[in-house]
Amino acid sequence: MKHLDVAGGTGDVAFRVVERIKSVSHRATQGTLTDMEEDTHIYVCDINPNMLEVGKKRAAEKGYNEEQCLSWVQGDAEALSFEDGSMDGYTIAFGIRNVTHIEKALSEAYRVLKKGGRFLCLELSHVDVPVFKDIYDIYSFSVIPAVGELVAGDRQSYQYLVESIRRFPKQEKFAQMIQEAGFEAVEYENLVGGVVAIHSGVKL
Amino acid sequence: SLTAPIGWANSVSTQPRHFVEHVVVRRTGPSAMASFLVARRLLCPASARRLLPCTSPPPSAPAALCWLSTDASPSPPLPVPPLEPTVDPPKKDGASFSAGSGAGGAYRTGQGAASGGRRSGGAGYEEEQQKVLRASLLHVPRMGWSESAMIAGARDVAMSPAIVGAFPRKEAALVEFFMDDCLQQLMDRIDAGEGELLKNLMLTERLSRLVRMRLEMQTPYISKWPQALSIQSQPANVSTSLKQRAVLVDEIWHAAGDAGSDIDWYVKRTVLGGIYSASEVYMLTDNSPEFHDTWTFVNRRIKDALDLQKSYKEV
């Protein structure tokens, strides 16, 4: 199985996928499914080479450098360098918010996925729960930039962060966009009342 | 009070009793069978006695699971006594159940903003899902009702195994698909002519024959059937498996032709459901050639149950 993790330079998702594959294949060897591990390859793609460097370092720390299954590729989510129908899975965690043209990223995702391949997107999203929404707004606009200034000396970045979350389409709208890109069985799951949402779709 | 007969059971006349069937729409491929079953029931002339106006959405809507909760609502000009309150649940507006299925056949309601259901284009996805599940069944005797079997099945139909991740409650999806498929095969066989053969037999023999027909479909998977049963009894899956069994038992009684019975509709189905489950479990430890002992077991249980009902009636 080939997996592509986009905007995942620091390797968070990729490492977890490696762990999961290894555990599944160990269980599966009892169930006669031995070819999963040999075929597995995970590509980590990021537009920023510095992030990729960080990821490679972390991989070394975790001892993944002997793993032949991790590749670090520099690339743009809107114009991937992978072939059509080459990936079984595509994940993008906290990255699609920063893409200029979301539709392009989605159609690229559609392009590189195989038939039956799964698209998964983890992203900060909108909260609609009545009281919690107000608390979240206050926290976002008052607390986060202030703490950012205190700790990192960078109020602007955190202000941008909070605003970009608000600018991102709502869960339903984003799900519609995913469907328009061609995916089937599109659904989403809210975590923490909508602070984070996981959208998924299948290419047929 | 389930033991008290429903009024209509006494009326052997051809006055049809209308059951209103409420349908909850859920996007699950394998269980789309049940909605198909309801449509079949409506078309079958023999079911005039239990006419079921189904409030399911039009065929263009995404595939649905019919949640069969039969509410008895008497048609106005009835000579028979009215239903007892306990057997006459309040009339529910079909719209309140199918609310989520409106608007482009979009999403599950309830749970507020917790999650959004699947979008349309469901027909293609459901088909592919069924293809994968059907191919997976071939691997079940070797690998059990597991993800490995489904991954192998996906490979067989040239699908990426990643699609298995999108199935709701994975192994349960496979088991439920199998149950639906068996039910469909049973109905096809009945319609194709075996139903005619049944007409010459007594009621007990008809029921035995039908239960046997259905249980025989499980023989290729018998070595892994305990696993299937345990999957079905998990809390997340138990409601669907109960519904499927209810539909199965209903179908068997329907094919056996439950005419002229004084026995409560619910009791009949419950009793047969119990016999079916007991036989299913008995079959797991039966080593006799061609499950001969299981069929004997089935015959005896059915005979005992019906004799008991007769004696009760006599009393």
Side-chain angles (χ1 to χ4, degrees), chain B:
Chain B
S1 57
L2 290 178
T3 51
I6 305 180
W8 67 267
N10 288 329
S11 81
V12 188
S13 71
T14 51
Q15 180 102 21
R17 175 59 60 115
H18 296 282
F19 281 57
V20 175
E21 197 163 56
H22 296 295
V23 174
V24 169
V25 175
R26 196 183 91 195
R27 245 137 301 284
T28 309
S31 308
M33 278 305 168
S35 66
F36 180 65
L37 298 183
V38 172
R40 278 178 62 105
R41 192 81 63 69
L42 294 176
L43 297 171
C44 175
S47 71
R49 245 186 122 202
R50 293 172 296 134
L51 216 49
L52 310 164
C54 182
T55 58
S56 61
S60 57
L65 164 72
C66 275
W67 178 41
L68 302 168
S69 75
T70 52
D71 305 343
S73 62
S75 49
L78 261 185
V80 297
L83 296 173
E84 302 190 1
T86 50
V87 191
D88 187 12
K91 232 187 193 106
K92 292 184 197 110
D93 187 4
S96 65
F97 274 79
S98 56
S101 72
Y107 29 88
R108 272 172 281 167
T109 54
Q111 303 167 327
S115 62
R118 302 188 163 186
R119 264 123 189 94
S120 54
Y125 175 72
E126 304 291 3
E127 266 175 48
E128 298 293 336
Q129 191 179 14
Q130 303 231 345
K131 268 201 324 208
V132 171
L133 291 173
R134 195 175 293 280
S136 310
L137 284 178
L138 295 170
H139 298 275
V140 165
R142 242 185 336 128
M143 298 186 188
W145 305 88
S146 65
E147 253 183 78
S148 318
M150 294 202 283
I151 290 173
R155 287 231 168 88
D156 288 347
V157 292
M159 276 279 199
S160 163
I163 199 174
V164 173
F167 292 167
R169 298 170 293 117
K170 308 187 188 51
E171 296 92 1
L174 187 56
V175 176
E176 283 159 20
F177 170 80
F178 176 70
M179 296 284 285
D180 280 334
D181 196 45
C182 285
L183 180 57
Q184 189 59 50
Q185 281 182 41
L186 182 68
M187 285 166 58
D188 289 341
R189 281 172 67 180
I190 293 170
D191 290 343
E194 293 195 33
E196 295 306 310
L197 299 173
L198 291 175
K199 289 206 164 44
N200 303 326
L201 305 171
M202 284 188 339
L203 179 64
T204 52
E205 288 189 26
R206 266 180 272 164
L207 289 171
S208 297
R209 186 70 69 84
L210 288 163
V211 169
R212 175 175 174 166
M213 270 165 65
R214 172 59 183 80
L215 284 174
E216 272 170 347
M217 295 178 193
Q218 286 172 193
T219 49
Y221 306 95
I222 196 70
S223 57
K224 302 287 185 206
W225 196 249
Q227 186 191 6
L229 287 178
S230 80
I231 289 172
Q232 288 187 307
S233 59
Q234 285 166 8
N237 308 323
V238 75
S239 63
T240 313
S241 63
L242 286 179
K243 283 169 212 164
Q244 288 181 313
R245 279 157 193 278
V247 172
L248 170 66
V249 164
D250 197 27
E251 199 56 44
I252 292 179
W253 266 115
H254 176 59
D258 56 350
S261 64
D262 307 339
I263 307 170
D264 191 72
W265 192 85
Y266 291 97
V267 169
K268 281 194 302 190
R269 274 139 186 83
T270 312
V271 165
L272 186 61
I275 295 174
Y276 177 84
S277 296
S279 314
E280 196 179 18
V281 172
Y282 186 92
M283 205 167 144
L284 297 177
T285 53
D286 183 8
N287 293 317
S288 62
E290 307 212 2
F291 300 99
H292 176 75
D293 290 348
T294 305
W295 314 138
T296 317
F297 179 87
V298 170
N299 292 340
R300 272 214 209 100
R301 294 290 83 75
I302 289 179
K303 203 162 173 309
D304 289 346
L306 285 169
D307 285 347
L308 192 63
Q309 295 293 352
K310 259 192 260 166
S311 344
Y312 172 77
K313 176 203 150 199
E314 279 159 15
V315 167

Side-chain angles (χ1 to χ4, degrees), chain A residues 1 20 28 31-33 35-36 88 114-118 128 172 175-176 179 184-190 202 204, chain B residues 107-108 113-122 124-125 128 131 142-143 148 151 155 158-163 165-166:
Chain A
M1 298 236 305
R20 184 64 198 245
T32 75
L33 199 65
D35 57 352
M36 276 248 292
D88 293 281
K114 283 185 199 168
K115 185 166 187 240
R118 203 154 176 226
D128 278 327
E172 288 293 337
Q176 211 178 319
Q179 197 185 7
E184 307 264 349
V186 178
E187 54 182 9
Y188 67 86
E189 186 187 338
N190 277 344
V202 176
L204 284 181
Chain B
Y107 29 88
R108 272 172 281 167
S115 62
R118 302 188 163 186
R119 264 123 189 94
S120 54
Y125 175 72
E128 298 293 336
K131 268 201 324 208
R142 242 185 336 128
M143 298 186 188
S148 318
I151 290 173
R155 287 231 168 88
M159 276 279 199
S160 163
I163 199 174

